[in-house]
Amino acid sequence: MLRWYPRAWRERYGKEFLAMVEDSLDGRRPTWRLRVSVAWAGLRERGHQTRLTSQKALLRSLTRGWLTFQVAGYLIAVLPSEFKASPPPARQWQATAALGVLTAIAAFTGVALLAGSVAAAPAFVRYLQAGGWPKVRRRIAWAAGATVAAGGALAGLVLASLSESFSQLNGSPTYLAGVLATSLALVVALWLWTSVITTAAKRLDLAPRVRKAEKILGMVATFAVSVVISVNVIWYSAIQSSVFQLLLGLTALAATALAAATKIRLAARSGRRLRSASGRGR
Amino acid sequence: MASRRPASGLRRENDPPLLILISLADGPKHGHALAKDIAAFAGVTLGPGALYGAITRLEERGLIEPLGSDDRRRPYQITSPGSAALAAALADMRRVTRTGLARLGLDGGRA
């Protein structure tokens, strides 16, 4: 009877479902009506899972694309200019403030991601203990290899920067090529680790509270990335002395703040409504 | 005709998720116990397919959660968001019921 249901559903609910069918039959043979209704429910569940999977796949692809766009866009837009020019003294404060905000957001996002990882860790351990390791082993090996390569390239860059002056480095096409190659290696390593995480995450059996926490942390990280874009534009405007880019960055920052405030207000309103309904129901 | 569906996903009348939440409101139950209880208080017979379809959706939304169990019959309990969603749905239904009764002159004129 269970063959109509998707595999993941059978693994999660199969045993208790069959126990319930046995209890309700009480030793009698299953009727055709029961068989048809179970088959129909199984097909509906397949439809639901398919919709869910396509939504998740879309979300994953958007997330990957977005992150890659961020890193690549940052490298193309900011780094080459930074080697050729530094902000004029009048705009130094703007670049310093933008860099400070970038650092703070990077640290904040890092903490959010770390909290998300810690919250999901017990479910990940359960997944590995239940035979999940072979499913992620190869991806982890690739990601680890890419990390070692990126780490080696980064160490080479640091060594090169110690042996030469800033003016020599800024004028060196080899050093610039090294920076770009290292950045690319870091992007590939990040991409591969993202692949490991998404592969494992879609198989994790997270408790409802953890799922809710992950959703909130994901939202926080997304807004943080949006702020990073805006601050990048402001930083770039300081280097280029461009008022237009400064206004563009400030507008993007205001739009992000507005979107975040709206999201928080809607969530708070929904929470208040549920709490007051809960109070009335008592 | 278009129907309004609340954020909790609970609809009115004999919606299986709503019946399951009402059944779990007085304590955890496993599948068969849920079906028997719902048949007793609502007169609705939920087959295994409909019952587990609703359990799956409710668990996905975090409105119910499974409890640990040594045998195959896994009990479920209502969560805090589940209680709040149930209270909201029932308050909504009470308002509609009162209006209907008042218009029929069966509720002392309270609407």
Side-chain angles (χ1 to χ4, degrees), chain B residues 42-60:
Chain B
V44 175
T45 306
L46 289 181
L51 185 79
Y52 266 89
I55 286 177
T56 308
R57 295 294 92 75
L58 286 169
E59 199 189 341
E60 276 172 5

Side-chain angles (χ1 to χ4, degrees), chain A:
Chain A
M1 290 174 89
L2 283 178
R3 65 174 174 272
W4 300 100
Y5 282 88
R7 189 171 55 87
W9 193 95
R10 288 199 302 266
E11 285 172 3
R12 167 65 185 83
Y13 295 100
K15 284 180 187 167
E16 55 186 286
F17 179 83
L18 287 179
M20 192 215 158
V21 171
E22 285 168 18
D23 284 346
S24 58
L25 286 173
D26 200 19
R28 287 166 294 164
R29 284 175 62 81
T31 60
W32 277 107
R33 191 179 166 190
L34 176 70
R35 285 177 190 277
V36 169
S37 86
V38 168
W40 177 243
L43 290 174
R44 284 184 63 180
E45 196 56 45
R46 276 186 189 275
H48 178 74
Q49 294 291 329
T50 307
R51 281 194 299 278
L52 219 60
T53 309
S54 61
Q55 280 168 5
K56 281 182 184 169
L58 176 68
L59 195 68
R60 277 201 305 275
S61 108
L62 282 174
T63 309
R64 285 180 188 178
W66 183 244
L67 286 174
T68 314
F69 172 75
Q70 280 301 297
V71 178
Y74 172 77
L75 289 172
I76 291 165
V78 177
L79 274 185
S81 312
E82 209 191 350
F83 285 111
K84 290 175 191 160
S86 57
R91 296 233 174 191
Q92 188 66 49
W93 67 270
Q94 189 183 321
T96 309
L99 185 61
V101 172
L102 272 181
T103 311
I105 293 169
F108 178 70
T109 313
V111 170
L113 291 175
L114 190 67
S117 309
V118 169
F124 184 59
V125 170
R126 282 200 302 276
Y127 166 66
L128 292 181
Q129 285 171 343
W133 172 244
K135 290 168 187 162
V136 289
R137 187 175 48 199
R138 188 179 291 179
R139 286 173 197 268
I140 287 180
W142 275 104
T147 306
V148 169
L154 201 60
L157 274 186
V158 171
L159 287 176
S161 67
L162 289 176
S163 61
E164 293 188 45
S165 68
F166 281 119
S167 55
Q168 281 175 316
L169 290 174
N170 283 345
S172 164
T174 313
Y175 185 75
L176 181 60
V179 169
L180 291 174
T182 306
S183 304
L184 187 66
L186 284 169
V187 170
V188 170
L190 277 174
W191 181 282
L192 289 170
W193 280 116
T194 306
S195 168
V196 171
I197 291 162
T198 49
T199 303
K202 67 183 177 187
R203 294 183 171 95
L204 292 186
D205 184 16
L206 295 172
R209 280 182 186 176
V210 176
R211 219 160 30 210
K212 199 172 173 184
E214 295 289 348
K215 200 173 163 187
I216 293 169
L217 289 170
M219 203 168 72
V220 166
T222 306
F223 277 120
V225 169
S226 303
V227 174
V228 164
I229 302 171
S230 315
V231 175
N232 264 338
V233 175
I234 294 169
W235 189 12
Y236 192 53
S237 77
I239 291 168
Q240 298 290 310
S241 296
S242 164
V243 177
F244 172 72
Q245 284 168 3
L246 176 64
L247 287 175
L248 193 69
L250 289 173
T251 307
L253 200 59
T256 304
L258 191 68
T262 307
K263 193 87 180 166
I264 290 167
R265 203 173 58 239
L266 287 175
R269 189 186 294 169
S270 166
R272 268 201 308 274
R273 198 178 65 80
L274 285 174
R275 272 197 303 277
S276 76
S278 176
R280 280 202 308 274
R282 284 196 193 105

